């Protein structure tokens, strides 16, 4: 079931006694993978020493052989592991990988964020309490780090990397650009300038909604993309059909004389009507 060095998830020298079913597992993740229910880590009261097999209350060192169960121990989360500069965040309610001084807890997002995001991110209330919109798994308690998008929404870092590899650049929740796209928009400017539309589409316009600045505007139509007139983004959605520019009215031709001196008068016969 386990070795003295723990499991693939944690390095520890004890087994947790699951408060739900009474079975012994190295960690809650191993338990949840085997059972049809989840272990509540906060309710763990007893552990089994991997060295001397003594069952005892959860604590950092074995009461019998004095082996250290983990370099790091949290008596709230009952987390044993090697030292990764972990710290318990009281507002988050769980342990985080530190060091603590590199992170701060944003009260509105209700999440620990890197210090360089202090005053430099868009807050979304309780953002980590929703599942990752890519894999639909929990973000708040996940061992996988979270990536903060410019719109304030979160993805697992691995899910964000996979999204980038597939060429997707929009937030799956709000469709806002997932990173600074200025260089890409400049490339699209050049490509569009070198790719004129056919004559029948010259002057055609279309209404768009910008996913980045939320503007509604009317812009030139192009099959490669429609550029927002407000912020310059091509992250736009078409709102309605094409609108053709009205043609200049053609000057009316003067009717030609029906008779000339050299032409005989035509006989009165019915004229044929041109088909429409």
């Amino acid at each position: 079931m386990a070795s003295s060095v723990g499991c693939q998830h944690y390095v520890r020298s004890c087994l947790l006694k699951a408060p739900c079913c009474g079975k012994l597992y190295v960690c809650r993740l191993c338990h949840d993978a085997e059972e049809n229910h989840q272990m509540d880590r906060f309710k763990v009261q007893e552990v089994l020493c991997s060295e001397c097999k003594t069952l005892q209350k959860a604590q950092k060192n074995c009461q019998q052989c004095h082996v250290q169960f983990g370099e790091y121990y949290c008596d709230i989360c009952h987390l044993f592991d090697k030292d990764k500069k972990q710290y318990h965040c009281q507002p988050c309610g769980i342990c985080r990988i530190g060091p603590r001084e590199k992170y701060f807890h944003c009260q509105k997002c209700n999440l620990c964020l890197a210090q360089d995001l202090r005053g430099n991110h868009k807050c979304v209330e309780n953002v980590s309490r929703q599942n990752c919109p890519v894999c639909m798994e929990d973000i708040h308690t996940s061992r996988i780090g979270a990536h903060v998008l410019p719109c304030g929404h979160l993805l697992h870092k691995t899910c964000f990397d996979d999204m980038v590899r597939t060429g997707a650049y929009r937030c799956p929740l709000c469709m806002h650009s997932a990173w600074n796209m200025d260089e890409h928009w400049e490339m699209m400017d050049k490509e569009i300038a070198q790719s004129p539309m056919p004559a029948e589409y010259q002057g055609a316009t279309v209404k768009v909604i910008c996913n980045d600045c939320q503007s509604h505007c009317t812009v030139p139509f192009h099959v490669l993309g429609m550029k927002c007139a407000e912020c310059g983004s091509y992250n736009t959605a078409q709102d309605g059909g094409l609108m053709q520019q009205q043609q200049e009215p053609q000057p009316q031709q003067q009717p030609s004389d029906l008779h000339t001196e050299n032409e005989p008068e035509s006989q009165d016969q019915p004229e044929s009507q041109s088909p429409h």
Side-chain angles (χ1 to χ4, degrees), residues 124-250:
V124 177
E125 192 167 1
N126 289 325
V127 65
S128 72
R129 276 16 181 219
Q130 53 189 290
N131 291 339
C132 171
V134 174
C135 67
M136 300 307 297
E137 294 185 2
D138 177 62
I139 290 181
H140 185 72
T141 61
S142 175
R143 297 176 71 245
I144 302 172
H147 181 85
V148 184
L149 300 178
C151 56
H153 292 126
L154 299 182
L155 307 177
H156 286 125
K157 180 65 170 62
T158 50
C159 292
F160 174 76
D161 293 341
D162 289 342
M163 187 181 81
V164 172
R165 278 192 291 268
T166 62
Y169 67 90
R170 298 184 182 99
C171 169
L173 291 175
C174 68
M175 304 302 287
H176 193 283
S177 293
W179 62 87
N180 189 312
M181 297 288 291
D182 288 348
E183 289 187 8
H184 186 67
W185 300 154
E186 290 177 7
M187 290 173 59
M188 288 193 65
D189 284 340
K190 294 176 183 178
E191 191 171 356
I192 287 174
Q194 295 170 2
S195 308
M197 292 293 291
E200 59 266 30
Y201 290 103
Q202 294 289 338
T205 58
V206 65
K207 291 181 179 179
V208 298
I209 303 171
C210 180
N211 291 319
D212 287 341
C213 71
Q214 309 305 312
S215 295
H216 293 244
C217 46
T218 301
V219 300
F221 171 76
H222 200 285
V223 291
L224 296 180
M226 275 76 73
K227 183 175 183 175
C228 173
E230 294 296 325
C231 71
S233 170
Y234 281 95
N235 182 11
T236 58
Q238 189 170 324
D239 183 20
L242 297 185
M243 297 180 290
Q244 292 288 348
Q245 193 175 46
Q246 288 204 338
Q247 299 288 331
E248 296 265 345
Q250 296 293 328

Side-chain angles (χ1 to χ4, degrees), residues 1 4 12 18 23 81 84 88 92 95-96 103 105 113 130 151 153 175 182 234 258 265 268:
M1 181 183 295
S4 60
R12 56 180 58 163
K23 296 180 181 178
D81 200 7
K84 300 172 184 173
H88 183 87
C92 280
C95 292
R96 299 289 190 191
Y103 297 89
H105 184 88
L113 299 173
Q130 53 189 290
C151 56
H153 292 126
M175 304 302 287
D182 288 348
Y234 281 95
L258 295 178
E265 286 189 20
D268 292 337

Side-chain angles (χ1 to χ4, degrees), residues 88-139:
H88 183 87
C89 175
Q90 194 64 39
C92 280
I94 58 175
C95 292
R96 299 289 190 191
I97 295 178
R100 181 189 293 269
E101 58 271 14
K102 288 191 175 181
Y103 297 89
F104 75 101
H105 184 88
C106 176
Q107 295 297 330
K108 185 172 182 180
C109 294
N110 202 5
L111 178 69
C112 287
L113 299 173
Q115 285 288 357
D116 58 2
L117 291 175
R118 187 186 289 272
N120 190 32
H121 71 284
K122 183 176 181 180
C123 288
V124 177
E125 192 167 1
N126 289 325
V127 65
S128 72
R129 276 16 181 219
Q130 53 189 290
N131 291 339
C132 171
V134 174
C135 67
M136 300 307 297
E137 294 185 2
D138 177 62
I139 290 181

Side-chain angles (χ1 to χ4, degrees), residues 33-46:
E34 292 289 332
E35 306 295 337
N36 61 1
H37 58 277
Q38 294 185 333
M39 180 195 294
D40 186 343
R41 73 180 90 177
F42 303 105
K43 292 183 179 179
V44 171
Q45 294 183 348
E46 294 181 299

